[in-house]
Amino acid sequence: MPEIPFSTLAPTTAEVRAEVEAGWRRILDGGSYVGGVEVDRFEHSFAGFCDRRHAVGVANGTDALHLILRGLGIGPGDEVLVPANTFIATAEAVLLAGARPRFVDVDPRTLLMSAQAAADAVTPATAAVIAVHLYGHVADLGGLREVAHRFGLAFVEDAAQAHGASRDGTAAGAAGVAAAFSFYPGKNLGAFGDGGAVVTDDAALADRVRSLANHGRSEVDRYIHERVGMNSRLDALQAVVLSAKLRHLPAWTAARRTVVDAYREQLRDAPLRLVEPEPGVVSAWHLLVARTSSRDHVRRELAASGIETGIHYPLPCPAQPAFRQWSDGSFPVATAAAAEVLSLPLHPHMTSGDVATVCAGLRAALASEDAGARA
Ligand SMILES: *Cc1c(COP(=O)(O)O)cnc(C)c1O
């Protein structure tokens, strides 16, 4: 175990443990494991949390994206704009739906897809654009919505890293026709296993997603299958965890912000940049990403001092072996960023002492790199 872990789930688990145990006991007594009242309850509160009318619990965030695209009728022959800098699942979901991803390079400052870059990438086959609120920072909702409107595209949000974030008062997940969330354990709102959700204001889309996620079942007759669907349902055991954690999430997000403020303060004149959200964004701070040209050296030195870091992501999506065949063009911004980004330890229960330890380690590592470069 490193002295300072990149993240840890133990303290948040401790805060919800009693409530989860009580809820799980109810489920073991009741015997309803897939769907049911616990899932209904969570869907209702999560829709409210996202400022949306409907939430559909599904098996994971990748399925949430895939099901949104299928629910919108996007498939073979369609192209979907995807930022080159994202977790692979964004592009994977497009291919699972039968469409093809068209990768778009990201903005050099935010490392998110800009409205201008999206507009420039539109072709006659483009059917949708997926904005990814990477790191918990919210992409340009107004600009992207305008581009989607101008070209007749569906505007979909990948909010898997942005539970509770907002931009100019609009919640992450409340701007597009629908948004996908992941509840993978390491996400800001994480289950004790996999989970995901689709949120939308469109009741017909919510119904289609719910049906597709449940073997294409008819809403009125469970023995009639109206479409070819899949099995992507949320477990009641996970819904209990998610309901319990959702109540703590605002406090946990505020705690992440406090940690980030401490980092900012202590790294004010350090020779590295932090990837910051744009004005008007209230980030969920899923990740705090620093950029330095000596990333690999710094990461090694920190690891040697017991400080664990992450890289999100070491390769742009279109450079991944499985996705190269859909990569046309070059992605200089995403490629340069991939060599420089370093995700610093961040979780709601990090102390200011932990932050000071990481910052001292960072300064020492950066100074030793300078010394090495001069020698
Ligand atoms: C985690 C993540 C996903 C996929 O979620 P899973 O629940 O792991 O399937 C999609 N997009 C982004 C940006 C993510 O971080």
Side-chain angles (χ1 to χ4, degrees):
M1 189 63 176
E3 190 193 336
I4 309 272
F6 175 62
S7 187
T8 170
L9 300 177
T12 52
T13 299
E15 287 190 45
V16 298
R17 186 175 194 116
E19 193 177 340
V20 169
E21 284 178 350
W24 282 7
R25 204 168 303 121
R26 276 198 309 278
I27 290 173
L28 299 197
D29 290 340
S32 174
Y33 292 102
V34 176
V37 291
E38 298 292 349
V39 173
D40 294 347
R41 188 173 9 236
F42 171 68
E43 287 177 342
H44 183 78
S45 41
F46 193 66
F49 179 80
C50 299
D51 263 341
R52 297 239 90 155
R53 277 204 272 281
H54 309 280
V56 181
V58 298
N60 55 68
T62 310
D63 283 0
L65 280 168
H66 170 194
L67 287 160
I68 290 170
L69 295 173
R70 286 209 47 205
L72 291 168
I74 291 168
D78 293 326
E79 272 180 10
V80 179
L81 305 182
V82 172
N85 180 41
T86 181
F87 181 56
I88 203 72
T90 319
E92 204 174 32
V94 172
L95 285 155
L96 286 170
R100 67 151 285 175
R102 179 165 291 280
F103 291 106
V104 179
D105 205 0
V106 289
D107 175 82
R109 229 165 29 81
T110 62
L111 303 185
L112 308 177
M113 179 165 55
S114 70
Q116 185 59 53
D120 291 346
V122 171
T123 75
T126 309
V129 52
I130 304 183
V132 182
H133 307 317
L134 205 66
Y135 315 137
H137 303 182
V138 182
D140 178 4
L141 299 176
L144 288 162
R145 190 160 40 189
E146 189 279 320
V147 168
H149 183 76
R150 179 162 19 123
F151 293 98
L153 318 176
F155 177 33
V156 174
E157 298 176 72
D158 178 344
Q161 299 191 3
H163 319 71
S166 65
R167 182 166 181 137
D168 300 324
T170 301
V177 58
F181 285 88
S182 164
F183 306 126
Y184 178 77
K187 301 293 160 96
N188 286 24
L189 178 62
F192 292 163
D194 279 305
V198 171
V199 300
T200 182
D201 285 340
D202 181 335
L205 177 61
D207 286 347
R208 281 196 301 279
V209 165
R210 196 179 287 286
S211 165
L212 283 167
N214 192 15
H215 303 298
R217 271 201 171 110
S218 153
E219 301 288 313
V220 286
D221 182 341
R222 64 179 275 108
Y223 293 109
I224 297 298
H225 300 266
E226 289 174 331
R227 29 179 96 78
V228 178
M230 58 197 270
N231 175 357
S232 182
R233 299 173 298 216
L234 185 64
D235 290 340
L237 292 168
Q238 301 306 345
V240 164
V241 177
L242 294 166
S243 289
K245 285 193 173 183
L246 186 58
R247 276 190 284 282
H248 293 268
L249 188 59
W252 290 343
T253 306
R256 285 175 183 272
R257 268 179 209 126
T258 303
V259 172
V260 169
D261 284 340
Y263 270 117
R264 280 186 181 131
E265 174 65 22
Q266 296 190 34
L267 294 173
R268 216 171 340 124
D269 45 6
L272 92 178
R273 283 171 294 159
L274 298 176
V275 179
E276 294 280 359
E278 289 179 293
V281 173
V282 180
S283 178
W285 290 110
H286 177 58
L287 296 168
L288 174 61
V289 175
R291 292 186 72 168
T292 163
S293 54
S294 32
R295 192 266 315 278
D296 293 339
H297 166 82
V298 170
R299 181 163 151 86
R300 258 193 316 274
E301 293 288 302
L302 289 176
S305 339
I307 298 167
E308 190 181 35
T309 55
I311 301 180
H312 302 88
Y313 294 92
L315 276 182
C317 273
Q320 287 288 353
F323 289 82
R324 264 181 225 144
Q325 57 187 304
W326 290 282
S327 161
D328 45 9
S330 61
F331 307 91
V333 179
T335 304
E340 291 188 355
V341 289
L342 181 68
S343 305
L344 303 180
L346 174 60
H347 61 86
H349 296 76
M350 239 180 125
T351 65
S352 51
D354 294 337
V355 175
T357 304
V358 177
C359 292
L362 269 174
R363 285 176 184 284
L366 289 161
S368 68
E369 172 73 359
D370 282 354
R374 276 197 301 273

